[in-house]
Amino acid sequence: MIGTRPRRALGRLAASLTAAVIALCLGTGPALAVVAPSHAAGTVGSPPTHQTRTHTHQTGTPTHEPRTSASPAPTGASTAGTDAGAVQHGRLSPGRIPPPRPIVARGSAQSSRKHTQSCTPAAFSSRTGQALASYIESSTTDCINTLFSTTGSDAHGVFQESQMIPVAQAFQRLSGGYSGDNSAGIWQLVIYLRAGYYVQYYDSADVGSYDANLTTAVVGGLNAFFAGAHSKDVSTTNGNVLGDAVILTDSANIQQDYLGTYKRILNAYNSSWDAYYAMDGVVYDVYTPLWRGQWNPAFVTAITHDSSIITTLDSFALHHTSLLGGNNTFLDADAGQDLAIYVQFPALQATVRPLMLGLLHASHISGTTAALWVAVAEQSNAYDNANCSYYGTCDLTAQLTAAALPTTYHCNSEITVLAQSLSPADLTAACSNLAGQDSYFQGVAKDNGPIPNQYNTTDNVVVFSSRLNYVIYAGAIYGVPTNNGGITLYGDPSAPGNQDYSILYQDPGPDGYTDNIWNLNYEYTHFLDARYDTKGTWTQIETEPNIWWVEGISGYISYSYRGIVDTEAVADAGKHTYPLSTLWQTTYANSDNDRVFPWGYLAVRYMLEQHPADVQAILTYFRNGDYTGAYNYYTNTIGTRYDADFNSWLDALAGVGTLPTCAGTNHQAMGQNCSRGNQSATAGNLDYLFIWLPAGTTTLTVATNGGTGSASLYYDPDTWATPSTYTASSTNSGAAQHITVSNTSAGYRYISLYAVTDFSGVTVTTRY
């Protein structure tokens, strides 16, 4: 599925699955009596008086397939991309791969609000009408984004239509006075509505149906918003809200009503927008409804009667070719892609075909304009292939492969490299590296050879010369999404002649990979794991939660084979975020990158080092294709039995030893390299602590672990730390938190544990 991590943000993605975002929206409790050190109030350094952070899987052969009638899901939570790799069975049709997004970070959907109130589903389902709308407005965008992963009865309580309508009405009220920023909380209302449509798409049985009453309310809000003068502001604050409002037109499947808005935005764009990343993001957001509209009959009817959106896209693509080859390559190329998908509709072909040909003539299969050429050519091949000679795109896959991957080098019977620009020395180095990894993997997995009757004996290692070229060509040649750090494409292991592909790119960052081939060893491990350890197709493999192994073994082999420490995992180890028994339940749907990657690595490393016999028992099930048997083994036979030992192992890995109790009888006073145990507080309240740092202290590390419940950690150098007054915080789920802060002068520093839920038995440690 996914691969290694280091650099994560690659842009705002139209993801088909919501990442499991773990963000706690915290509340401030009542005033608490605090025992302060004996210094006079107001003196320098004395404590003041107390005031009240996609995976798609498909079986089949790598051939073009027709667009299916079912539309893909609405756009999920606003998340950054990832440099992690992925794995996929079979090729996706072009219609299932959304337009690419920028290859640089767009930025996080943050608001200026602090975490000052609860962010559980119950906090929203327990409120109705204007009270619900007001609560949403006073929440944070991070908090609302967590609701995209709501399921079951929670989904009904939060997003049933009777909850959605008053939110849409509140959106309309605020739109009338919209000032071009999020000062009134309008952004949160828009994200909430988007989340409702997203969750209802996947879980309509729980949420219930949506009807014209909701549509009318949403349209009222959108019309008022787009009519406001400030919705045309060119600024970061407006771009944030405007972009999500555009996505809402798509989530509600009313793209046909906003063709004028889309045209206005495309026509308004100029280079001045580039100073505001959120404004460029609005153009990318326009491409989402123009792409997903192909599944909406009302949209198709609308553009058939008025094709001016098509000519607008053509004009945009032709007039902004200077963007091609840079960070905003797809701001131009996506216009051509969205235009070209409409050639599938007979009534539009007379209009679309000559425009497609014009865009192909204005670009080239390689070089700086390749993204535009490939985007248009791919759609011609998918939806108008009978006329491929008209476009010059017959045998497109062969054309693209010849242009982008001119080198084919056979390392051995198991490995073939297809490369864009690797030198002979590079090829030799890559082959040598992978050949050594094969035997290393087998030494770790202790297999008895390839799984019988599996036809995955060869891995084609595809290496593009850059991240940009990967995004341009990989989807068109191999039918894979490219919002990742590389991908392993499995075919059908039961089919003779099956070929696997590890599709990668070069990145000159300090990653330690041979020839700078990003995720080389990680993705090759996916191939080896499928050959030696995991029988069957991805559909069979994913019958039970086993992502801790699939991703964990790739991470473990990638790091240990290269002799590199996974510093991110080691740092996470000291936080004790997940018990081992929780990691047994990891899926892509219920996890974020942190749980999938560093914690998958930690789970596999622990099992290999501490319980190798259990690993072999699990792999015996995997090798026989009995994933339910394996799941029962690690969930029931092992269960929670290793949780305590896993915690101790994590401490040893992170270099945490047991520290002595801090000196003195004041249980609020911390000290140098010491701990306070059995800290507790009831939900909504704060446990206040402080520490005196002598002159010359450069850093302070504060950590919490153990106990039960959920406690967030806050720090402030000048005053009592609270969820609304702090300079550093750690708000992971549970009670395992960790912060390190810089220090410049002697004096008191202030620490607090905020009770998200009741917590007790928590140990706090301070080191300097």
Side-chain angles (χ1 to χ4, degrees):
M1 284 314 307
I2 312 175
T4 49
R5 289 100 43 209
R7 299 171 309 278
R8 297 187 189 279
L10 296 175
R12 184 174 182 170
L13 307 174
S16 60
L17 293 176
T18 303
V21 181
I22 299 177
L24 298 175
C25 303
L26 307 174
T28 303
L32 180 69
V34 177
V35 180
S38 56
H39 286 267
T43 59
V44 176
S46 64
T49 302
H50 173 59
Q51 312 287 327
T52 303
R53 241 184 130 224
T54 293
H55 304 276
T56 304
H57 316 287
Q58 176 177 320
T59 59
T61 55
T63 58
H64 281 297
E65 55 191 87
R67 180 177 62 86
T68 59
S69 58
S71 66
T75 302
S78 297
T79 59
T82 177
D83 271 344
V87 66
Q88 174 181 304
H89 275 269
R91 182 182 183 125
L92 299 176
S93 67
R96 308 303 290 188
I97 305 175
R101 288 301 184 253
I103 63 172
V104 295
R106 178 175 180 178
S108 176
Q110 301 286 339
S111 76
S112 60
R113 290 172 168 76
K114 300 290 186 183
H115 296 293
T116 58
Q117 61 186 40
S118 175
C119 194
T120 64
F124 298 91
S125 61
S126 64
R127 293 172 168 83
T128 60
Q130 182 56 46
L132 171 63
S134 298
Y135 195 78
I136 294 168
E137 292 161 15
S138 60
S139 296
T140 66
T141 53
D142 279 345
C143 169
I144 305 303
N145 266 316
T146 67
L147 298 178
F148 280 84
S149 58
T150 308
T151 59
S153 59
D154 284 339
H156 176 78
V158 176
F159 291 125
Q160 60 186 297
E161 187 172 71
S162 61
Q163 296 287 83
M164 291 281 282
I165 288 177
V167 177
Q169 292 168 339
F171 171 44
Q172 182 173 1
R173 287 193 297 271
L174 290 187
S175 292
Y178 177 59
S179 58
D181 57 39
N182 193 39
S183 56
I186 192 172
W187 192 9
Q188 287 86 304
L189 295 174
V190 175
I191 297 173
Y192 189 95
L193 293 170
R194 285 188 47 227
Y197 281 110
Y198 182 88
V199 172
Q200 198 269 348
Y201 176 95
Y202 279 111
D203 196 8
S204 59
D206 285 312
V207 176
S209 61
Y210 288 168
D211 59 25
N213 292 319
L214 176 58
T215 301
T216 298
V218 170
V219 167
L222 287 168
N223 288 348
F225 178 82
F226 291 129
H230 287 292
S231 71
K232 301 173 180 64
D233 289 355
V234 178
S235 67
T236 295
T237 54
N238 177 53
N240 287 331
V241 184
L242 176 60
D244 271 315
V246 168
I247 294 294
L248 179 58
T249 69
D250 180 73
S251 301
N253 212 37
I254 49 177
Q255 302 95 333
Q256 69 278 1
D257 294 335
Y258 294 95
L259 292 174
T261 299
Y262 308 150
K263 288 187 289 187
R264 173 179 68 79
I265 292 171
L266 292 173
N267 289 328
Y269 168 79
N270 58 55
S271 59
S272 70
W273 287 31
D274 298 341
Y276 307 95
Y277 195 66
M279 290 304 300
D280 283 354
V282 172
V283 180
Y284 285 107
D285 290 330
V286 165
Y287 295 139
T288 295
L290 293 180
W291 172 71
R292 283 189 73 255
Q294 63 183 297
W295 285 276
N296 180 356
F299 174 84
V300 176
T301 298
I303 63 172
T304 300
H305 291 313
D306 178 6
S307 61
S308 59
I309 188 63
I310 297 175
T311 54
T312 299
L313 287 167
D314 179 64
S315 177
F316 189 97
L318 289 173
H319 289 107
H320 298 293
T321 54
S322 61
L323 296 171
L324 296 170
N327 288 335
N328 262 337
T329 287
F330 298 103
L331 201 68
D332 183 81
D334 287 1
Q337 176 169 330
D338 279 352
L339 178 155
I341 61 175
Y342 305 140
V343 76
Q344 68 187 285
F345 303 111
L348 293 172
Q349 287 172 348
T351 299
V352 175
R353 280 174 176 155
L355 298 180
M356 291 172 64
L357 186 62
L359 293 176
L360 290 169
H361 287 166
S363 54
H364 191 266
I365 194 172
S366 59
T368 57
T369 61
L372 177 59
W373 194 95
V374 173
V376 175
E378 183 180 13
Q379 308 312 315
S380 76
N381 189 49
Y383 301 125
D384 202 18
N385 195 44
N387 292 298
C388 64
S389 60
Y390 170 77
Y391 303 106
T393 58
C394 297
D395 300 317
L396 179 61
T397 300
Q399 286 194 55
L400 293 172
T401 303
L405 299 167
T407 300
T408 299
Y409 187 85
H410 299 286
C411 298
N412 52 44
S413 61
E414 190 174 276
I415 304 168
T416 296
V417 178
L418 292 82
Q420 187 166 22
S421 63
L422 293 181
S423 68
D426 292 335
L427 292 165
T428 299
C431 291
S432 176
N433 177 273
L434 294 178
Q437 183 178 335
D438 199 317
S439 59
Y440 182 85
F441 176 90
Q442 291 179 278
V444 171
K446 303 188 186 307
D447 59 83
N448 293 317
I451 298 172
N453 303 315
Q454 291 259 110
Y455 296 95
N456 51 355
T457 59
T458 301
D459 191 29
N460 298 279
V461 180
V462 179
V463 184
F464 292 99
S465 64
S466 67
R467 175 75 173 87
L468 178 60
N469 281 315
Y470 171 73
V471 178
I472 291 171
Y473 294 107
I477 298 175
Y478 298 105
V480 294
T482 55
N483 56 345
N484 49 57
I487 190 167
T488 294
L489 179 63
Y490 299 157
D492 182 354
S494 66
N498 174 64
Q499 297 282 304
D500 288 353
Y501 292 84
S502 292
I503 308 164
L504 308 163
Y505 59 86
Q506 290 179 280
D507 187 317
D511 49 50
Y513 288 107
T514 299
D515 301 334
N516 292 320
I517 303 173
W518 182 248
N519 276 340
L520 174 64
N521 305 101
Y522 196 103
E523 291 303 310
Y524 188 62
T525 304
H526 277 317
F527 162 71
L528 295 174
D529 189 44
R531 188 178 188 201
Y532 296 104
D533 287 338
T534 53
K535 182 178 182 178
T537 65
W538 183 256
T539 301
Q540 294 168 315
I541 293 171
E542 210 177 20
T543 54
E544 303 287 357
N546 50 38
I547 303 309
W548 69 273
W549 173 264
V550 173
E551 298 298 353
I553 189 61
S554 287
Y556 178 79
I557 295 294
S558 177
Y559 280 102
S560 61
Y561 174 61
R562 292 182 292 141
I564 294 175
V565 175
D566 186 346
T567 55
E568 184 177 4
V570 171
D572 276 1
K575 300 176 184 179
H576 296 269
T577 309
Y578 303 104
L580 184 65
S581 57
T582 298
L583 298 176
W584 299 145
Q585 307 301 323
T586 297
T587 67
Y588 296 111
N590 69 16
S591 305
D592 60 5
N593 280 351
D594 195 57
R595 177 170 171 178
V596 168
F597 301 121
W599 283 98
Y601 164 93
L602 290 168
V604 167
R605 180 173 172 180
Y606 169 77
M607 291 298 292
L608 286 170
E609 292 180 358
Q610 305 299 315
H611 302 285
D614 287 303
V615 172
Q616 288 307 307
I618 292 167
L619 291 181
T620 297
Y621 287 110
F622 284 175
R623 290 163 183 158
N624 289 315
D626 184 0
Y627 294 99
T628 298
Y631 176 73
N632 288 335
Y633 185 91
Y634 53 75
T635 299
N636 298 322
T637 301
I638 297 176
T640 61
R641 186 153 44 98
Y642 297 156
D643 280 358
D645 185 61
F646 182 60
N647 273 339
S648 299
W649 179 85
L650 291 174
D651 279 338
L653 186 67
V656 179
T658 301
L659 296 177
T661 300
C662 298
T665 58
N666 186 341
H667 291 283
Q668 291 179 299
M670 302 301 295
Q672 184 177 23
N673 302 331
C674 65
S675 65
R676 293 281 183 192
N678 296 316
Q679 302 297 123
S680 64
T682 55
N685 287 305
L686 288 145
D687 180 21
Y688 290 96
L689 303 163
F690 60 86
I691 186 171
W692 170 266
L693 296 183
T697 304
T698 57
T699 59
L700 168 68
T701 297
V702 185
T704 63
N705 60 72
T708 60
S710 185
S712 294
L713 178 64
Y714 293 92
Y715 166 87
D716 194 284
D718 301 312
T719 188
W720 293 111
T722 72
S724 59
T725 305
Y726 64 90
T727 61
S729 67
S730 177
T731 58
N732 298 315
S733 177
Q737 311 293 349
H738 183 276
I739 58 174
T740 298
V741 295
S742 298
N743 183 67
T744 58
S745 62
Y748 283 103
R749 304 293 181 263
Y750 309 97
I751 304 158
S752 70
L753 278 69
Y754 173 78
V756 182
T757 65
D758 292 359
F759 72 85
S760 62
V762 173
T763 296
V764 183
T765 61
T766 48
R767 295 179 177 84
Y768 67 82

